[in-house]
Amino acid sequence: MKIATFNINGIKARIEALPAWLEIAKPDVAMLQEIKSVDEGFPSEIFEDMGYRVETHGQKSFNGVAILSRLPLEDVTRGLAGDDTDEQARYIEATVIGKTAVRLCCLYLPNGNPVPGPKYDYKLAWMDRLHARAKELLVQEIPFVMAGDYNIIEQDTDAAKPELWREDALALPTSRAAYRKIAALGLTNALRAKHPEAGLYSFWDYQAGAWQKNNGILIDHLLLSPQAADLLIDAGIDKNTRAGDKPSDHVPVWAQLDA
DNA sequence: ATGGTCGCAAGGCGA
């Protein structure tokens, strides 16, 4: 089972590039972030015609997540528990039925800038809620994959120019500590497990020629429960999608599981 | 330090 995460930065703008990538990469599951669309506005038919089931959790203009799957999906839940007043569409879960059932958690973690301020407070509170959800799932001792745009530069080697991010919500020590608290529950980063080398990135800003200069950062991850990590076969980044026509500023990251 | 580029949606916010 090949599972990918991809921040597409707007489904309307990616109406050609997303199907093109699916045709080439052929993931069984694609967890999408920043669809920037309400559920009714998501062009599900395009993907259903390609053999994918489509589950969205959208909102107008901003945020929004979705799961595309060529395998059956069950028990879809929308939103991250822990704050009934949170109206931002950043989280969706579903169970994919392959050889083995795998719980999928698709997340778009808040950016958090500017710091300090309410947006940064929201980011840290959201991470506390994600930590609580990870703990709940770990108790179940099932294969699960928590994947998406974490908006965290975990370590300096995950940025081409770490000095530019020192005061940023993506790289502050408090941000990194909150991320590591989640990972330290016992989750395995699929890409790092298979590609420990530095200099792999998943995002290049549209501005200032970041792509041409390879001024990137690694912020998109698939974190695996112990039961999922036992099934890990391979992982990678589809870097070349950034060089295509009308690309997202993120590229897909994927993991192959024996599931 | 500033401005640089996109997406959504139709002006300004978010990244």
Side-chain angles (χ1 to χ4, degrees):
Chain A
M1 184 189 298
K2 183 177 182 180
I3 302 175
T5 178
F6 188 6
N7 181 323
I8 60 171
N9 189 20
I11 185 59
K12 295 176 182 70
R14 231 56 65 201
I15 204 67
E16 293 182 7
L18 179 56
W21 166 71
L22 289 169
E23 288 285 357
I24 295 168
K26 300 189 187 327
D28 295 294
V29 172
M31 293 193 248
L32 308 179
Q33 300 85 36
E34 284 205 270
I35 64 172
K36 294 186 175 180
S37 166
V38 293
D39 295 332
E40 313 82 70
F42 194 89
S44 299
E45 322 73 44
I46 292 175
F47 306 102
E48 287 162 358
D49 289 348
M50 298 176 72
Y52 287 94
R53 294 157 180 78
V54 178
E55 296 290 346
T56 60
H57 180 40
Q59 73 179 82
K60 183 178 166 64
S61 302
F62 303 117
N63 306 318
V65 288
I67 298 176
L68 312 183
S69 176
R70 299 202 289 192
L71 296 164
L73 293 176
E74 295 180 352
D75 301 323
V76 181
T77 57
R78 291 166 174 81
L80 180 60
D83 181 359
D84 293 340
T85 68
D86 187 357
E87 294 181 347
Q88 300 191 33
R90 296 178 173 275
Y91 192 83
I92 185 171
E93 285 190 10
T95 299
V96 58
I97 310 300
K99 255 192 320 186
T100 310
V102 178
R103 189 68 175 164
L104 307 167
C105 310
C106 173
L107 65 101
Y108 176 46
L109 206 145
N111 175 294
N113 284 302
V115 183
K119 291 188 176 179
Y120 192 59
D121 296 341
Y122 174 67
K123 176 178 192 148
L124 294 178
W126 205 94
M127 294 182 81
D128 270 343
R129 291 159 60 197
L130 186 63
H131 178 266
R133 183 58 186 148
K135 273 182 75 174
E136 278 183 358
L137 286 167
L138 282 162
V139 170
Q140 299 180 28
E141 300 189 334
I142 57 169
F144 72 81
V145 179
M146 218 164 230
D149 177 356
Y150 279 80
N151 264 318
I152 294 285
I153 301 168
E154 185 187 3
Q155 53 202 36
D156 279 356
T157 48
D158 293 340
K161 299 185 178 184
E163 66 277 9
L164 297 181
W165 298 93
R166 293 256 183 264
E167 309 298 323
D168 194 282
L170 276 62
L172 282 169
T174 307
S175 307
R176 290 177 171 179
Y179 175 82
R180 290 194 165 126
K181 185 179 171 188
I182 296 168
L185 288 169
L187 304 179
T188 296
N189 185 313
L191 187 76
R192 292 203 203 287
K194 293 297 177 182
H195 293 280
E197 65 268 26
L200 298 179
Y201 309 128
S202 64
F203 170 91
W204 294 261
D205 201 293
Y206 288 124
Q207 301 184 63
W211 167 246
Q212 288 75 12
K213 298 175 193 167
N214 194 29
N215 178 17
I217 55 176
L218 179 62
I219 56 176
D220 299 271
H221 297 292
L222 299 103
L223 299 187
L224 312 181
S225 71
Q227 293 76 17
D230 285 344
L231 305 175
L232 181 62
I233 296 169
D234 199 6
I237 296 183
D238 290 344
K239 181 176 180 179
N240 57 336
T241 64
R242 187 66 176 79
D245 290 334
K246 264 184 87 71
S248 171
D249 42 7
H250 295 250
V251 298
V253 183
W254 56 268
Q256 179 85 33
L257 303 185
D258 182 21

